[in-house]
Amino acid sequence: MTRAGSSRPYEGDFAAWTGGGVFIGPGGGSAAIAPHSHYAIQIAIGIPSGLRVQFGRGAEWQPCAAALIPSRVTHSIDVSECGWSAVIFVEPETAEGRALSARLAGTPQSIDTSALETPVARLEEAWRFEQTPQAVERACRALVRELAGRAAAPEPSDKRVLLAIAHIVARIDDAPSLEEVASLVNLSPSRFRHLFVAETGMPMRTYVLWRRLLHVWSLLMRGETLTSAAHAAGFADSAHLSRTARAMFGLPPSVLQMKGPLSARTRAAAAHLG
């Protein structure tokens, strides 16, 4: 990943699933991304070395093999010196997300990847050789479970919020209104608004923007242009998409170039079907 204006873009792949997603690719960019925060818990991994992480604006850069960053904590990462890197997102309302939140208690952690050698190697194999989003998803989930399994079992998320999120994700290109989702879970809009914030730490509108961004990355993987992806994901225009991406990812979507083995295979399959 790279800051806007950097001479070298991030080139890799993106895969998303219910409750998470991952950017994976060669180390890229000539600078760190801008400080930012977002909804998901983040696991950043740099192989074999070279990852640097900054926790907070203006904080000291820390070299590490991997880092675990809580939801909504301002941070920046630099993968420019990594052989390859993966940034895994885990949504906090999932079982794994709640376990990771309990482990972190709001404090970022550096991780020794020697204890994760097998799941990290499996992720690289899934990305480089199997080259399917499904294989990458399975490998990411196994790695996340390895980390989450060391935390105490948390209380489950409210089922009404999980149902609402599933409905939003299914309709992300034409996201439902607060009133519609509240009715789905048999709550008034005001009570649902309070419950959603209590469970996720953010308003439903912000969550919808988060899921729309993930949808944009998936559309770019299929070969869509930024403009067509922005409209298909429900953004008013490319400028709206760019503002949201800068706020949540610290960079504009124009520097994220999907040119890895997953995107190449996805586009080849689409061309064959077409």
Side-chain angles (χ1 to χ4, degrees):
M1 296 182 182
T2 176
R3 182 183 300 153
S6 173
S7 59
R8 198 170 132 221
Y10 170 84
E11 295 184 353
D13 289 308
F14 175 75
W17 52 87
T18 301
V22 63
F23 283 110
I24 185 167
S30 59
I33 64 172
H36 62 285
S37 63
H38 46 63
Y39 167 62
I41 299 162
Q42 182 170 304
I43 303 165
I45 302 168
I47 303 297
S49 61
L51 175 68
R52 296 193 310 147
V53 182
Q54 184 186 60
F55 301 129
R57 295 181 185 275
E60 186 173 334
W61 283 95
Q62 300 182 29
C64 58
L68 189 54
I69 304 166
S71 169
R72 297 183 299 280
V73 166
T74 299
H75 64 281
S76 182
I77 64 172
D78 181 356
V79 299
S80 59
E81 299 300 320
C82 300
W84 70 276
S85 63
V87 178
I88 303 171
F89 303 104
V90 184
E91 296 191 356
E93 82 282 351
T94 62
E96 294 86 356
R98 292 179 81 86
L100 290 174
S101 294
R103 167 180 172 165
L104 290 167
T107 303
Q109 295 180 4
S110 295
I111 304 170
D112 181 1
T113 54
S114 63
L116 298 172
E117 186 175 345
T118 298
V120 168
R122 180 70 189 91
L123 175 56
E124 182 178 14
E125 178 185 353
W127 172 59
R128 290 191 188 276
F129 303 111
E130 294 184 55
Q131 299 181 1
T132 68
Q134 295 79 12
V136 169
E137 174 187 344
R138 287 193 296 270
C140 284
R141 289 190 167 208
L143 193 154
V144 170
R145 285 194 299 270
E146 181 72 20
L147 289 170
R150 301 171 191 174
E155 290 294 319
S157 297
D158 191 290
K159 291 182 179 179
R160 293 168 294 184
V161 170
L162 295 178
L163 177 61
I165 284 174
H167 186 66
I168 292 166
V169 171
R171 294 266 311 278
I172 198 58
D173 54 348
D174 182 26
S177 66
L178 176 71
E179 291 74 17
E180 177 184 336
V181 179
S183 176
L184 177 72
V185 297
N186 299 312
L187 290 175
S188 69
S190 60
R191 286 190 62 195
F192 174 72
R193 182 186 296 110
H194 176 78
L195 176 65
F196 196 90
V197 172
E199 286 289 305
T200 68
M202 68 195 311
M204 191 186 100
R205 181 176 64 177
T206 306
Y207 178 78
V208 168
L209 284 176
W210 165 256
R211 291 303 315 190
R212 282 178 167 170
L213 270 180
L214 299 190
H215 191 41
V216 165
W217 309 142
S218 296
L219 292 169
L220 294 178
M221 284 285 291
R222 301 174 201 167
E224 296 278 352
T225 66
L226 273 176
T227 299
S228 64
H231 286 299
F235 287 95
D237 50 36
S238 296
H240 183 205
L241 168 60
S242 184
R243 288 194 302 272
T244 305
R246 285 178 183 275
M248 291 189 176
F249 285 93
L251 42 72
S254 57
V255 304
L256 290 167
Q257 307 211 355
M258 305 305 178
K259 293 185 176 179
L262 294 189
S263 57
R265 188 164 179 174
T266 299
R267 293 171 191 177
H272 177 73
L273 290 174

